Amino acid sequence: MTLKHLPVIFSCLMFSGCWFFSHPVSMPLNESEFLKPTQKPFKFTGTRKFKWNEVPQDSIHPGHTIPFDIDKLPSRPFNPAGMVPILKPLVQTSFQYDKLPDTTLNLDAIPSERLVYKTSVLGSIKKTSLGQAKLKAESFNTSFEYSDEQGLASQSVESILHTRDGQCWIFTSRGLSILNGESLETFSTNYGDCFFMAEDTLGQVWIRTIKNGVFVINRKAGIQKQIMNFQMGVHVRVDKKGFVWVGSFGDGLYKI
């Protein structure tokens, strides 16, 4: 017998003792042992006189009445529309957005340095046919889903870019793919994580990776350049003049 069985044995002994040693409770035989309630007559107290303090009439002064005439109140014109007449005619000036100064900062005076980059061939590109989209059943509206089952490198999509030639660049956590109609081309290079891509005036695609610098892909020439000057960052943008702006976490903003 172990200690775990002691509570069970104790409970059995307690209930068995209550069952075998029970005895009836005796009820009183003579009900007259309880006292009967007593009755006492109810009487009012004696009469008492109230003492009143009389106030003389001359101590209360009559009130002063002020006449009120609503027609004699000062008034002013009320305009429910809230419009106020203009005392002088408006002066119209032309606003030309294109003639505004771009910035007060002299970008030409900023010191520059040469870019350090590594050029390589794009290499073999895996071409596959994009499978039929899957209908997403959990959505309230009708929506279709493309994932690795339809041919993407991964179902985790980090960035999307639509270029001027009508192609869709899809950056996933396991690679970069280009969607052109129903054809899907996947690059073999492992770029790391990327959340922003941009297209410059020459049709090149700039990929801003977080840890591996910036990649510039030229599809027509079949080459790519990896710029190593930049620290860790996320953003890349191309302005209307063709300059490329690259952000970094700890080294400011780059203009190329």
Side-chain angles (χ1 to χ4, degrees):
M1 183 177 63
T2 59
L3 295 177
K4 295 188 297 182
H5 300 102
L6 290 178
V8 179
I9 297 174
F10 178 77
S11 301
C12 295
L13 292 175
M14 182 178 64
F15 284 111
S16 61
C18 295
W19 176 264
F20 291 107
F21 296 97
S22 61
H23 60 276
V25 179
S26 60
M27 300 298 293
L29 300 176
N30 187 10
E31 296 182 358
S32 62
E33 62 178 330
F34 300 102
L35 298 178
K36 295 182 179 180
T38 58
Q39 297 180 356
K40 295 182 180 181
F42 178 76
K43 296 181 179 180
F44 288 98
T45 59
T47 58
R48 292 184 299 175
K49 294 183 179 181
F50 289 97
K51 185 178 181 180
W52 297 91
N53 295 326
E54 297 181 358
V55 180
Q57 296 182 358
D58 56 354
S59 64
I60 301 175
H61 300 284
H64 179 63
T65 305
I66 300 176
F68 177 76
D69 190 358
I70 193 172
D71 296 332
K72 294 182 180 181
L73 293 177
S75 61
R76 59 181 180 178
F78 173 71
N79 187 2
M83 299 295 180
V84 180
I86 300 176
L87 302 179
K88 296 181 180 180
L90 296 177
V91 179
Q92 184 177 1
T93 57
S94 60
F95 177 78
Q96 298 180 2
Y97 183 79
D98 297 335
K99 293 185 179 181
L100 293 176
D102 291 339
T103 177
T104 58
L105 181 65
N106 187 6
L107 299 176
D108 297 332
I110 297 177
S112 61
E113 59 182 6
R114 288 181 174 272
L115 294 177
V116 179
Y117 57 86
K118 180 176 63 175
T119 305
S120 61
V121 182
L122 289 177
S124 60
I125 298 177
K126 180 182 178 182
K127 295 184 179 181
T128 57
S129 297
L130 187 64
Q132 188 175 1
K134 180 176 62 176
L135 180 63
K136 190 173 183 180
E138 293 83 3
S139 61
F140 293 98
N141 301 321
T142 302
S143 60
F144 297 93
E145 182 180 4
Y146 289 95
S147 63
D148 50 356
E149 298 179 0
Q150 284 72 34
L152 293 179
S154 173
Q155 62 181 0
S156 176
V157 178
E158 298 178 356
S159 178
I160 297 176
L161 174 66
H162 291 274
T163 55
R164 291 189 296 270
D165 56 0
Q167 296 181 349
C168 180
W169 293 58
I170 305 173
F171 197 99
T172 67
S173 60
R174 294 183 179 178
L176 174 63
S177 302
I178 299 178
L179 177 62
N180 186 5
E182 297 181 355
S183 176
L184 191 67
E185 301 178 358
T186 303
F187 293 83
S188 58
T189 305
N190 185 13
Y191 299 98
D193 291 326
C194 167
F195 296 102
F196 287 92
M197 296 184 293
E199 182 185 10
D200 60 11
T201 56
L202 302 177
Q204 302 179 124
V205 175
W206 292 66
I207 300 175
R208 180 48 163 129
T209 64
I210 297 179
K211 298 181 180 180
N212 298 326
V214 176
F215 289 85
V216 185
I217 299 178
N218 190 338
R219 283 293 310 279
K220 296 180 180 180
I223 60 174
Q224 66 178 4
K225 297 179 181 180
Q226 182 182 8
I227 305 176
M228 309 298 296
N229 297 61
F230 309 125
Q231 292 186 0
M232 296 175 60
V234 175
H235 290 277
V236 59
R237 291 290 186 270
V238 180
D239 60 14
K240 60 183 179 181
K241 294 184 178 180
F243 293 106
V244 181
W245 299 81
V246 181
S248 64
F249 290 152
D251 203 11
L253 185 66
Y254 299 94
K255 174 193 174 186
I256 303 175

